Amino acid sequence: MYLVTAGEMQEMDRRTIETFGLPGRLLMENAGRGATRVLLQTFSGLTDKKVAVIAGRGNNGGDGFVMARCLFQKGVPVRVFLLAEGKTVKGDAAANLKLLKPLGIPVDEIPDRNAFKKYKTAMRHQDIWVDAILGTGLKSDVDGYFREIIDFINARNRPVFSVDIPSGLDSDSGHPRGACIRAHTTATFGFAKIGHVLLPGADYTGRLQIVDIGIPDHIAAEVGPTQYLLTAEMIQDRLAPRSSDAHKGTTGHLLVVAGSPGKTGAAAMTAAAAMRTGAGLVTLGVPASLNPVLETQVLEAMTVALPETVDAMFAEAAFDRIQGLLSGKQSLVFGPGVGISSEIESLLRRMLPILNIPMVIDADGLNNLAADMDMLKTANAPIILTPHPGEMARLLGASVQQVQTERLTCARELARKYKLHVVLKGARTVIAHPDGKAYINPTGNAGMASGGMGDVLTGVIGGLLAQGYTPEAAAHVGVYLHGAAADRLAEQIGPIGFLASDVINAIPAQIKKLLNG
């Protein structure tokens, strides 16, 4: 499903009006009527409620004027509070404002603080607010009088229905611009905006409904948004059913290079997650002195003792053995729990040029990589990086705050620069590809904020690669599946306290659910 920027949506509107021939007035009518349908479906008993449309003077306000008219025609008591003088409203918005007077719909003009004081008592007694103050074209932070209005509405503790986007929310980043309406429900037009689904924007948006206003498919395709929301339908299309004559030799063999003292669990969970996702065989390469430990932790995976340093971490001398182990494997995972050292950095540097199978680099693999990012330019096979925000900051030489503020931009920058695939983990994981396309994942929950969840995701993606999935499909399916398994656990046993190993065990049921549609 497309996610659009404010600029892309504006261009779609322009082309629909200027080249396709649908008047802007009609698009506004479609938007207002569609939003009204969503409002009526969302809240029952509106004929017994006081509904207030609070509108700015732009097109977002125009959508609100259409809604006021439609609500009035449905017998809903509605009142408009216009945050401007009526004479300053122009274009299609002005035409729709003019239609309210003959219907007797009250319109109170409150262009400044003095007028606000006059109407504040009446505003306090409204039951439901329709927010049509600021649209997707917001360019600067909300301050002054408008900030005071937004704070007032939020403090009323009444349901707010936002038109297109909560006023004050940046539609491209999902971050509030100074002050932002906290909506119960948002009806957006044409396509969801990036800010609706990234956090914290999703929390301000509330329940999101998309209203078709008549943008032709060919115009959307011509504008060509390059960001998408993963959906169950998309994942179902990517999941490959297994043939009835499959056996472990035909369902992929994954090599996992992982583990160090105190971090054997990372290696074990990565291997187990790959097998729960359907990999036929997993070989787990670990520092030699840890092999007896891992043999008791993993039952289905095979283990191999690799050369180690005096502190039981991988030695660069492990390269020859790993190179031999790559024969007959379909994918490689490197990094969970390996620790950080110059020898591991050298090992990674030597491995990248000789690979002929896709590779997932995670955790300490990323931390070693950060010391010399240029080694990625020598990679001879597809690479998937799976950083959390802290690791991403180290890879980019940025701060965690910068990464979290611009998650989509950061993931894309790294993917394009090094021609690889990036899975930026966290709430609303972002997946970016070398061609500039990016996907946002809606599954997952706060119960996943515990150790080992990243190791599980790495194993899931590695296991899918081993089964022949493309890097793009393995990243999409793996991230969605990982979050969906955790969502099911949150429903079944509670939102807090389930473990990474619980997510591993929940994966097969989610695969079944997706395969069954």
Side-chain angles (χ1 to χ4, degrees):
M1 183 177 82
Y2 279 143
L3 295 173
V4 300
T5 65
E8 288 166 346
M9 194 68 241
Q10 289 166 3
E11 179 63 12
M12 289 182 196
D13 285 342
R14 187 192 67 78
R15 294 191 189 194
T16 299
I17 294 167
E18 296 179 6
T19 66
F20 189 67
L22 283 184
R25 179 87 178 266
L26 178 58
L27 294 182
M28 187 173 286
E29 185 74 14
N30 290 345
R33 287 186 174 275
T36 301
R37 285 193 296 272
V38 176
L39 179 65
L40 293 170
Q41 292 164 1
T42 302
F43 301 105
S44 60
L46 285 186
T47 54
D48 298 321
K49 304 286 187 182
K50 295 178 181 179
V51 177
V53 176
I54 187 158
R57 65 182 184 180
N59 284 341
N60 196 243
D63 299 331
F65 303 148
V66 176
M67 289 188 68
R69 172 163 44 88
C70 293
L71 288 168
F72 176 82
Q73 291 168 340
K74 293 289 185 179
V76 176
V78 63
R79 182 172 184 174
V80 175
F81 295 99
L82 173 61
L83 302 180
E85 294 180 346
K87 64 184 180 182
T88 65
V89 180
K90 305 297 181 182
D92 296 331
N96 279 298
L97 176 62
K98 186 178 180 180
L99 294 178
L100 302 184
K101 185 174 181 179
L103 296 177
I105 298 172
V107 178
D108 301 308
E109 297 181 8
I110 47 176
D112 52 37
R113 285 190 175 94
N114 288 333
F116 179 38
K117 290 176 184 177
K118 176 182 175 182
Y119 289 104
K120 189 176 286 189
T121 299
M123 294 170 75
R124 283 195 179 102
H125 291 90
Q126 303 303 309
D127 298 313
I128 294 175
W129 287 94
V130 174
D131 157 37
I133 305 171
L134 302 167
T136 59
L138 183 65
K139 301 296 184 185
S140 59
D141 286 353
V142 180
D143 57 14
Y145 172 49
F146 273 44
R147 179 168 191 149
E148 189 174 336
I149 291 288
I150 288 174
D151 289 342
F152 172 84
I153 293 173
N154 285 338
R156 298 277 62 77
N157 198 28
R158 296 287 189 272
V160 181
F161 182 94
S162 283
V163 178
D164 206 13
I165 196 162
S167 292
L169 186 66
D170 189 303
S171 61
D172 291 351
S173 73
H175 287 273
R177 299 292 300 267
C180 185
I181 288 289
R182 286 192 174 273
H184 173 284
T185 299
T186 298
T188 197
F189 307 131
F191 300 94
K193 316 309 182 283
I194 296 169
H196 288 137
V197 298
L198 285 176
L199 290 175
D203 291 337
Y204 286 91
T205 298
R207 176 173 171 262
L208 180 65
Q209 290 288 316
I210 300 172
V211 174
D212 181 1
I213 60 172
I215 304 292
D217 290 345
H218 76 274
I219 286 180
E222 287 170 4
V223 173
T226 56
Q227 50 279 324
Y228 308 82
L229 181 70
L230 290 179
T231 65
E233 293 75 17
M234 291 169 66
I235 301 305
Q236 287 161 3
D237 288 343
R238 286 161 171 74
L239 269 177
R242 181 165 289 184
S243 64
S244 57
D245 61 348
H247 57 81
K248 65 183 180 182
T250 62
T251 53
H253 194 163
L254 168 67
L255 174 62
V256 177
V257 178
S260 64
K263 298 179 180 179
T264 57
M269 285 189 291
T270 302
M275 299 206 74
R276 284 291 187 189
T277 309
L281 295 166
V282 174
T283 294
L284 179 55
V286 298
S289 63
L290 299 181
N291 193 56
V293 178
L294 267 303
E295 283 186 324
T296 62
Q297 289 195 55
V298 294
L299 300 178
E300 293 84 1
M302 297 170 282
T303 66
V304 176
L306 297 176
E308 64 182 15
T309 61
V310 293
D311 50 2
M313 296 171 66
F314 286 107
E316 184 181 351
F319 172 77
D320 291 338
R321 190 73 192 281
I322 292 171
Q323 186 174 18
L325 289 170
L326 290 172
S327 177
K329 309 300 187 295
Q330 282 71 51
S331 61
L332 168 67
V333 164
F334 182 90
V338 297
I340 304 172
S341 74
S342 59
E343 294 214 37
I344 295 172
E345 180 189 331
S346 297
L347 177 60
L348 182 58
R349 183 180 291 104
R350 293 179 65 186
M351 288 170 56
L352 287 168
I354 59 96
L355 282 177
N356 58 7
I357 57 174
M359 177 185 191
V360 183
I361 305 177
D362 183 38
D364 283 337
L366 298 168
N367 293 326
N368 284 284
L369 179 65
D372 180 15
M373 291 293 289
D374 283 345
M375 72 173 80
L376 285 169
K377 296 176 181 178
T378 69
N380 197 38
I383 303 294
I384 300 177
L385 307 183
T386 57
H388 59 53
E391 292 159 347
M392 187 68 163
R394 287 188 282 277
L395 294 175
L396 293 176
S399 69
V400 174
Q401 182 179 358
Q402 286 174 304
V403 170
Q404 290 295 71
T405 301
E406 297 292 341
R407 287 172 59 80
L408 191 62
T409 300
C410 288
R412 274 182 161 151
E413 176 186 328
L414 188 60
R416 283 171 166 159
K417 182 175 182 179
Y418 293 103
K419 297 180 175 56
L420 43 71
H421 309 272
V422 176
V423 174
L424 177 54
K425 297 182 291 195
R428 301 296 162 104
T429 291
V430 174
I431 305 166
H433 302 297
D435 61 2
K437 291 182 179 178
Y439 296 75
I440 299 173
N441 179 54
T443 64
N445 58 79
M448 301 173 75
S450 66
M453 293 292 176
D455 303 314
V456 174
L457 176 60
T458 298
V460 171
I461 295 173
L464 291 167
L465 288 171
Q467 294 172 71
Y469 285 78
T470 65
E472 292 85 356
H476 299 169
V477 175
V479 169
Y480 188 96
L481 185 61
H482 181 243
D487 288 343
R488 183 59 175 158
L489 288 169
E491 293 173 4
Q492 289 179 328
I493 64 176
I496 298 173
F498 57 85
L499 306 177
S501 55
D502 296 325
V503 174
I504 292 173
N505 293 328
I507 289 169
Q510 290 307 304
I511 294 175
K512 176 184 177 182
K513 182 178 179 181
L514 288 165
L515 285 173
N516 289 343

